[in-house]
Amino acid sequence: MSPDGTARGHPALRAWRLSQIVADTYERSKLAGFLYLFGWVVVGWLADAHRIAPVPAVAMAVVFLALGVMRLAMRPPPREDEAANRRWLRNYAWVLPLAPLAWAGLQAWLLLDARFSQPVRMASLVATIGYATVFVNVYTTVRHFAAVGAGVLFLPPLVLVWLDPGQQALAVAMTFYAVYLVGALVRTHAEYRRRLDLDVALREQRDLYEGLSRTDPLTGLANRRQFTARLDELAARARRGGPGFTLVMIDVDHFKRVNDDHGHLAGDACLVGLAQRLQAVFPPDCSLLARLGGEEFGVLLEGDAASAAASAEALRRSLAAGAIDCGGVVVRVTVSVGVAGFDPVRHGDGEGLYRAVDRALYEAKGAGRDRLAIAS
């Protein structure tokens, strides 16, 4: 676990966890800076501070207002930018304690200046205790944020109360409350960590199930669901003037013979081997490879049909000239291929392109198999 409480696991989950800590920290504290201004308005009014010390009274109000605006203005960076989120946490670690530090100075002034009455001092101490309690119960997204803020708020007045011989009972009571604050900080931070861990686990399970729902379990390629969604996405983008793309469909010739002659396990191994050949010819980082069902595969890739057809033809030739190791059984297979580039006018949408390539594929099969046809 890193100092900011983020996990050292999968990079995507680590980045999400960090961004969630940043978002929670900001949401919990973005308006809280103005509470110090409100507290000073109330305590200052009770203390008649505008008459006793008008310049410091106004100055403190301006300081609290400025610090509240500063905290509100520090909006979190984009969630996906892990480095920016780490910088935000480091910067916020300096900003968050400023208002508590200013309030601690104000509290010391009220306790030490004889012009302020005992009821005013008690009212300010109640506010201080309240602010410290808020820190340990709310700002627990990052433990040291809460610890520093509560410590800056609570420890200076606690020391001053202990130094006043007439406030020993209050000093003892505040000391006991300080012990409670330490325990509350440990408990609330642990509760936040547990909730965050649960959220991360739920996201991990969701991503896993989503991946399984979009992946063919035998070959590890995309399944038909993911293929269809990507096809529609590329077609819609192309209709809006985006880059063109090509669809390649590949079908294993006479695949039933492989299963009949060598068994279904060999047939499955044959499909896995073919998927590996596809990944070598069409790199997954610039294309989508999918098993559409049975022994049929589809490839979606940006670019024109000519280059896609050249790659598909190279695959067809290599299969026709060699064989595939199907779980210890060497099997010679051939494939028929259909290819077409998307034309918004002729095809209209992704389904139109799919039908055109499917017709080209069956033209190749009808012409004797082991060949490639480009949709006209």
Side-chain angles (χ1 to χ4, degrees), residues 30-321:
K30 64 180 181 180
L31 297 177
F34 297 106
L35 292 178
Y36 297 95
L37 175 62
F38 174 76
W40 172 233
V41 168
V42 173
V43 173
W45 173 73
L46 292 175
D48 204 15
H50 64 283
R51 182 185 60 81
I52 295 175
V55 174
V58 173
M60 291 305 304
V62 171
V63 167
F64 288 132
L65 177 61
L67 292 177
V69 171
M70 181 188 301
R71 192 184 294 187
L72 180 63
M74 287 190 65
R75 298 185 180 278
R79 278 184 171 267
E80 62 275 8
D81 193 337
E82 184 175 355
N85 277 279
R86 290 192 181 282
R87 286 195 301 272
W88 188 93
L89 277 179
R90 287 196 296 268
N91 294 335
Y92 210 65
W94 291 100
V95 172
L96 191 62
L98 293 178
L101 185 62
W103 183 267
L106 174 63
Q107 177 68 84
W109 175 35
L110 295 174
L111 290 175
L112 296 174
D113 195 327
R115 292 175 295 177
F116 297 114
S117 65
Q118 186 63 18
V120 168
R121 294 171 180 170
M122 289 303 301
S124 66
L125 282 173
V126 169
T128 298
I129 293 170
Y131 291 149
T133 304
V134 168
F135 248 98
V136 301
N137 285 285
V138 177
Y139 304 148
T140 53
T141 52
V142 181
R143 184 167 47 196
H144 69 265
F145 282 7
V148 170
V152 166
L153 280 165
F154 202 84
L155 292 180
L158 178 60
V159 171
L160 291 175
V161 170
W162 270 108
L163 293 176
D164 185 350
Q167 301 288 344
Q168 297 302 299
L170 178 60
V172 171
M174 289 184 64
T175 300
F176 277 113
Y177 196 76
V179 175
Y180 159 77
L181 289 178
V182 172
L185 171 59
V186 173
R187 184 186 70 254
T188 54
H189 179 68
E191 289 173 353
Y192 176 76
R193 285 276 302 281
R194 282 194 293 270
R195 181 183 69 78
L196 199 58
D197 289 342
L198 177 60
D199 288 345
V200 170
L202 290 174
R203 285 183 65 89
E204 192 171 23
Q205 288 297 314
R206 184 202 66 186
D207 293 344
L208 174 62
Y209 290 135
E210 183 177 346
L212 291 174
S213 72
R214 298 170 67 86
T215 303
D216 175 60
L218 176 63
T219 63
L221 302 181
N223 62 11
R224 189 169 193 121
R225 174 189 175 191
Q226 185 177 358
F227 168 83
T228 301
R230 181 60 173 165
L231 175 61
D232 292 341
E233 176 189 333
L234 290 173
R237 189 173 65 176
R239 288 200 303 270
R240 295 192 300 267
F245 71 99
T246 298
L247 169 59
V248 178
M249 289 175 60
I250 300 166
D251 190 87
V252 181
D253 298 327
H254 303 298
F255 184 70
K256 184 176 183 299
R257 294 179 186 173
V258 177
N259 286 326
D260 291 344
D261 296 344
H262 305 286
H264 288 280
L265 289 179
D268 288 348
C270 180
L271 294 176
V272 172
L274 180 56
Q276 293 170 349
R277 293 284 192 93
L278 282 171
Q279 290 172 319
V281 175
F282 301 101
D285 58 344
C286 56
S287 56
L288 176 70
L289 310 177
R291 183 185 178 200
L292 304 181
E295 65 274 17
E296 189 174 74
F297 295 84
V299 182
L300 289 167
L301 65 162
E302 293 186 3
D304 59 85
S307 59
S311 297
E313 177 63 12
L315 171 68
R316 186 196 67 78
R317 288 178 180 274
S318 70
L319 288 171

